[in-house]
């Protein structure tokens, strides 16, 4: 079966998206530092969104959906808004950690996943898919 052609950002736009992600990461970390929740919480929760990769145990489509839900800015935006509206600094701090994680991943080139393979992302191929 031939490998499907995957649309991915290339060239300068890809570089700009990765630089933008670095800025998002830096701003999220800086803002988090103002919430007084402590760096242990940040360290313990920073990789929590990667648990979404467990969705790949159910197949590529389920894996891509679960990964993309956890690696979109929509979830942390909703959590952060809820934290602000409800005056819950912990919720807002966790949202900032989540944003930082997404920014970190995107800065490194780990984009949103296509169902065709884990290594097919909107920012280009990664891992084994890149080598192929």
């Amino acid at each position: 079966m031939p490998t499907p052609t995957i649309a991915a950002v290339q060239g300068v736009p890809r570089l700009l998206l990765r630089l933008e992600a670095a800025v998002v990461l830096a701003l999220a970390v800086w803002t988090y530092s103002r919430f007084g929740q402590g760096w242990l919480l940040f360290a313990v929760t920073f990789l929590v969104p990667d648990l979404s990769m467990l969705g790949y145990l159910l197949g590529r489509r389920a894996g891509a959906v679960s990964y993309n839900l956890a690696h979109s800015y929509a979830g942390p935006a909703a959590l952060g808004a809820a934290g602000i509206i409800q005056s819950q600094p912990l919720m807002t701090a966790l949202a900032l950690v989540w944003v930082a994680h997404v920014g970190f991943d995107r800065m490194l080139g780990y984009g949103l996943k296509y169902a065709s393979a884990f290594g097919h992302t909107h920012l280009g191929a990664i891992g084994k898919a890149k080598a192929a």
Side-chain angles (χ1 to χ4, degrees), residues 23-69:
V23 170
V24 168
L25 167 63
L27 286 173
V29 170
W30 179 81
T31 306
Y32 178 88
S33 75
R34 303 295 186 244
F35 270 79
Q37 294 296 324
W39 292 106
L40 179 61
L41 176 69
F42 189 95
V44 168
T45 58
F46 185 75
L47 295 177
V48 167
D50 284 340
L51 292 174
S52 65
M53 288 188 278
L54 293 173
Y56 279 94
L57 295 173
L58 301 174
R60 290 186 309 217
R61 183 172 306 280
V65 169
S66 65
Y67 183 92
N68 291 343
L69 285 173

